[in-house]
Amino acid sequence: MPRRYALAFLVSFLAATQDFAMAQENVPQLQWTLQPVAGALKLSTTLPEPWHLYSATTPKGTGIPFQVTFPEQPAVTGFELFQAKPIRKFDPNFQADSETFEKEITFYVVPKVAAAGELSAKLRYQICTDKVCVPQRKTVTSQFAPGSVFAAPEGFFTTAAAAPSVAAAAVAKTSDTESQSLGAYLLTAFGLGLAALFTPCVFPMIPFVMSAFLNRNTGSKAQGVAQAGIFSLGIIVLFCFLGFAITAALGPFGVVQLASSPWVNGFIGLLFG
């Protein structure tokens, strides 16, 4: 019997891994062009169907908004980002209205610099279909000469009236924001893990587990507490290792793809059926 379940799990895992690998092969790697126009830099790419890209103004919590930065370039004291009117509609990935772009995508970046030179812009964005989302980062470079006044084409508007500096201070501020976000995420994860203890399949087992370590016929209570700590640490290390291993093998969305695979869910149904 255990051998049959092990074989079923192996087949399910390999099938799910193959499905995810095939999905990854179909993820487009966007090729961005950055070219100078009168007073600005034109940033453009082509996105094949059925993919879409989230705009710079998409509502919070509905995908990673399109972002441009000029890190480690003190000559850039700020910039404005112009985009066309995005498509606003219900997004099944986030169960909320989002703002996206499709097919031919164009932005205009107006850097604030004192002298002409080469600028390297770092792009951060997320592309999605109705079933999968993939974050991407790119770096594009172009020459830029200040002096001309940029006139936005019809249908384009600025996403920030006065974009903040993206020199070292702004990079540090971004790092602080990301650190705060990570702290909030860890606190939320801890709270949800604590709440999971009160689920019907876990809570009744707590007395049994505690009794196994504290009400032993041999050894002291201190030894029982120490063994309980080792037991808990072993579970934490094991599942962290599995999480990191799956992420390294299948990418940041590997766990999501694995959990949504019909093969894996079929195996779990077989196991508990």
Side-chain angles (χ1 to χ4, degrees):
M1 185 70 70
R3 184 175 299 176
R4 184 184 71 177
Y5 284 132
L7 180 61
F9 174 77
L10 180 61
V11 172
S12 300
F13 181 80
L14 291 176
T17 302
Q18 183 180 12
D19 289 344
F20 179 78
M22 292 176 64
Q24 286 293 91
E25 289 179 358
N26 295 326
V27 175
Q29 296 297 321
L30 302 191
Q31 302 300 318
W32 293 89
T33 59
L34 185 67
Q35 55 186 7
V37 295
L41 293 169
K42 182 179 179 181
L43 183 62
S44 57
T45 190
T46 301
L47 184 61
E49 295 182 342
W51 294 87
H52 56 261
L53 178 146
Y54 291 96
S55 73
T57 54
T58 191
K60 185 177 181 181
T62 59
I64 299 174
F66 184 84
Q67 300 173 28
V68 179
T69 57
F70 295 87
E72 301 177 1
Q73 294 179 88
V76 182
T77 58
F79 69 94
E80 286 185 273
L81 178 66
F82 290 79
Q83 68 176 17
K85 183 178 180 180
I87 302 169
R88 189 178 181 92
K89 63 180 180 181
F90 181 78
D91 194 322
N93 291 310
F94 301 100
Q95 295 297 304
D97 288 341
S98 65
E99 294 183 354
T100 61
F101 293 112
E102 299 175 354
K103 301 178 182 178
E104 301 292 332
I105 302 171
T106 300
F107 293 91
Y108 289 93
V109 186
V110 184
K112 298 178 182 178
V113 296
E118 185 177 79
L119 298 181
S120 293
K122 289 187 178 294
L123 315 179
R124 181 173 183 258
Y125 53 90
Q126 186 176 42
I127 57 174
C128 294
T129 65
D130 291 340
K131 297 181 179 179
V132 64
C133 288
V134 181
Q136 293 185 352
R137 296 175 184 265
K138 298 288 183 181
T139 300
V140 287
T141 303
S142 178
Q143 297 290 329
F144 181 74
S148 301
V149 177
F150 175 67
E154 184 178 356
F156 281 78
F157 63 94
T158 179
T159 61
S165 171
V166 289
V171 174
K173 183 178 180 180
T174 302
S175 299
D176 292 340
T177 303
E178 291 179 351
S179 298
Q180 293 174 3
S181 300
L182 178 60
Y185 170 77
L186 292 176
L187 186 62
T188 302
F190 176 79
L192 292 175
L194 193 63
L197 293 176
F198 298 94
T199 55
C201 58
V202 176
F203 188 74
M205 298 301 299
I206 295 178
F208 295 100
V209 175
M210 294 182 65
S211 298
F213 291 107
L214 299 179
N215 297 330
R216 302 181 308 154
N217 295 326
T218 59
S220 63
K221 285 192 175 182
Q223 289 176 330
V225 172
Q227 290 184 358
I230 295 173
F231 172 77
S232 301
L233 185 62
I235 293 177
I236 294 172
V237 171
L238 173 63
F239 281 96
C240 285
F241 171 78
L242 290 175
F244 284 126
I246 293 175
T247 301
L250 303 179
F253 287 89
V255 176
V256 177
Q257 293 293 317
L258 206 59
S260 61
S261 168
W263 293 93
V264 173
N265 285 285
F267 167 73
I268 294 174
L270 177 66
L271 183 63
F272 290 99

